Each structure stands twice: as C-alpha cells, then as structure tokens.
Amino acid sequence: MTRTVKLLFALFTLLFSAAIACAADNQVIRLATTTSTVNSGLLDKLLPNFEQESGYQVHVIAVGTGKALRMGRDGDVDVVLVHAPAAEQKFVADGYGEQRFAVMYNSFVILGPAEDPAGVKKAKTTSDVLAKIHSTNAFFVSRGDDSGTHKKELSLCKDAGLTPSGDWYREAGQGMGKVIQIADEMNAYTLADKGTWLAYREKSRLRITFQSDTKLHNPYGIIEVSKSLYPDLNHSGAEALITWITSKDAQQQIADYRIHDEQLFVPSAAQTAMHLDK
C-alpha cells in the first residue's frame, strides 16, 4: 500500500468515524429541566415512552430553572423544560429560544411543622403566611439557587413587603428534595412544588400548612434553544420532543401520573392551543 493510499484510507476512516459520532449525537436530545420534574418521578414515567416511539435518547440535566436557562443561552442543551414564566418569556424575547409551549401546571404549597408554630394555617393569603413566619421568629428555608421555586419565593416576599434575608430566611442552595429534608430537620417552613412534595411526603414530618392561593400557581413550559444562534444543536430532536410532550397522548399520560392516588400535574398544552386559536 503506497503512502498516498494509506493517507487516503486514514482520512476516510477519520471522516467515517466522525459521521458515525455525529449521527449518534443527533439521536441524543439534551434536556435541561427543573429538579421538580425529576424528583416527582414524572420524567421517569414519560421519557421511556417517547424514546421508544421516536428512537431518540433524552439526556436529562436536572438543575434549577435559572441554570437551565443559562445552559440554553450558552448553547449547552437543545431544549429546556422549566417553570418561571417571566424568565421564560425573557429567554425567548432576547433571542435565545424559539416559541414557548405550555406543557402542564401544578401549584406551590407552604410546608411546615405539624404543630405550626407560626400559625400560618390561619392565614388568608401567602403574604400573610410569610408575615407570620417572619414576625414569630420561625425559620423559612429557601432554595436559594435561582430555581423557579426560588424566583417564586422572591416574588412572594416582595408582595409581602419582606426582605428575603436575615435570621428568619435561610438559603440552602439545594434542590427541592434536599430543601424539604433541611426544613424538616430545622422544624422550619419552606415553599415546594406539590409534585415533589407528594413524592417526598412519606419521608418527611412536614405537612402542608397553606395552599390554594392563586399566587401559588406553577406553570411549566418547554422551549427549543435558538436555531439562529446555535444551528448545530439537535433541533430536529428538540422539535420531536416538544411535538410529543404537547400531543394528546403525552398530555393524557401527564394527567394520569399519580402518587398516593393524587394527580401531580395538570396538562395545559391543549388549553394553550385553544387560546392561540381564538
């Protein structure tokens, strides 16, 4: 074999290997999502069905909403599934993402000790809850991680006229499951999405001390990362996942997902579609 033939063979082998690697990469969808979709067990239920039907594999990166959106801005993932509508809208408006699609919603709840030392069960609003926790020197454990839950905490504190700092407000910098554990150990209150709480409640002494305020509404949206900024991302995979998770079949699977016979999430893609049609 001549030197030229050897070089051509080596080049062909390299290009063939690169093509195989590229094809393999195109079968992987990198999804940045919140810890709540993972801690609740929902994605473990949904994604195997999508993978079987589509042939794609989904690599799930569970982080807070803020970090998930930063990963999208940096082009490190193909698609994001998060729960902070204002931040999601800014992400799209700033050109980092394509259209936002509603997927589902649940609610936030205030967890606390069964004996309720701050008396929040008597509160009428979430602002009253936080005021009672603050005024009674009880502890509130915050995610403190720029997650969707943390963003909600900050918004609620602002509405209540409270500064989220000082001895009463303890930032953990952890995911939802760990924060529930810390709050339990401290005999403290915390804000949690109901899906994660239902998955963790058998492991905790905490109880729901307040819920059913419209301010505790918790919608989730899915967004493909920008095609123009990052043309080399797996856009076909991202679009396939979005199409599937907003489909009638997947939305029914979300509605059917239960823990302890309680529904964790309410599908909302159809409601959004009807709204857009009007």
Side-chain angles (χ1 to χ4, degrees):
M1 186 181 291
T2 67
R3 178 180 175 84
T4 300
V5 172
K6 287 180 179 179
L7 287 173
L8 289 173
F9 180 76
L11 179 60
F12 174 79
T13 301
L14 181 63
L15 292 173
F16 183 71
S17 298
I20 291 175
C22 183
D25 286 344
N26 285 338
Q27 291 304 113
V28 176
I29 303 167
R30 293 169 299 171
L31 169 65
T33 187
T34 71
T35 59
S36 59
T37 61
V38 175
N39 289 342
S40 65
L42 177 67
L43 292 187
D44 287 338
K45 179 70 174 180
L46 291 181
L47 292 183
N49 299 327
F50 167 72
E51 291 174 337
Q52 184 176 9
E53 292 178 22
S54 68
Y56 286 105
Q57 291 183 322
V58 183
H59 177 202
V60 176
I61 306 165
V63 290
T65 287
K67 186 171 182 179
L69 292 175
R70 284 195 296 275
M71 294 180 75
R73 285 197 295 270
D74 293 339
D76 293 330
V77 293
D78 306 303
V79 61
V80 297
L81 173 60
V82 290
H83 63 142
E88 294 167 48
Q89 291 163 10
K90 187 175 189 304
F91 180 78
V92 173
D94 289 346
Y96 294 108
E98 304 294 331
Q99 181 180 353
R100 176 192 185 273
F101 292 87
V103 175
M104 60 193 180
Y105 66 87
N106 64 3
S107 62
F108 289 106
V109 294
I110 303 291
L111 305 178
E115 60 272 22
D116 188 23
V120 303
K121 291 179 181 178
K122 299 177 182 178
K124 301 297 184 184
T125 67
T126 308
S127 293
D128 291 341
V129 168
L130 294 175
K132 286 178 179 292
I133 294 171
H134 178 264
S135 65
T136 57
N137 296 316
F139 292 126
F140 181 93
V141 180
S142 164
R143 288 277 297 267
D145 62 352
D146 197 33
S147 62
T149 305
H150 184 214
K151 293 177 186 294
K152 174 62 73 170
E153 293 167 7
L154 297 178
S155 173
L156 294 173
C157 284
K158 182 179 180 180
D159 290 345
L162 295 172
T163 301
S165 62
D167 193 52
W168 75 286
Y169 191 85
R170 305 295 183 91
E171 292 190 340
Q174 299 287 337
M176 195 70 259
K178 186 64 175 178
V179 166
I180 290 173
Q181 179 185 339
I182 293 170
D184 190 358
E185 293 170 353
M186 292 182 61
N187 210 40
Y189 295 88
T190 193
L191 179 74
D193 68 280
K194 196 168 184 180
T196 302
W197 167 241
L198 289 174
Y200 275 75
R201 71 179 183 182
E202 297 300 315
K203 308 172 187 177
S204 177
R205 295 171 299 173
L206 298 179
R207 296 292 179 267
I208 294 177
T209 54
F210 186 81
Q211 58 184 328
S212 301
D213 186 331
T214 56
K215 289 183 179 180
L216 297 178
H217 182 63
N218 183 30
Y220 290 75
I222 191 167
I223 307 169
E224 177 187 358
V225 175
S226 172
K227 295 176 182 176
S228 58
L229 287 180
Y230 301 107
D232 294 332
L233 292 181
N234 189 356
H235 294 290
S236 60
E239 290 168 4
L241 178 58
I242 291 172
T243 298
W244 184 84
I245 204 168
T246 57
S247 70
K248 184 177 180 180
D249 181 56
Q251 291 280 288
Q252 188 60 53
Q253 291 177 44
I254 292 171
D256 291 341
Y257 182 61
R258 283 169 164 72
I259 292 180
H260 308 303
D261 205 33
E262 290 195 49
Q263 183 176 350
L264 273 68
F265 299 93
V266 179
S268 60
Q271 296 175 15
T272 302
M274 287 189 291
H275 175 72
L276 292 174
D277 289 341
K278 291 180 179 180

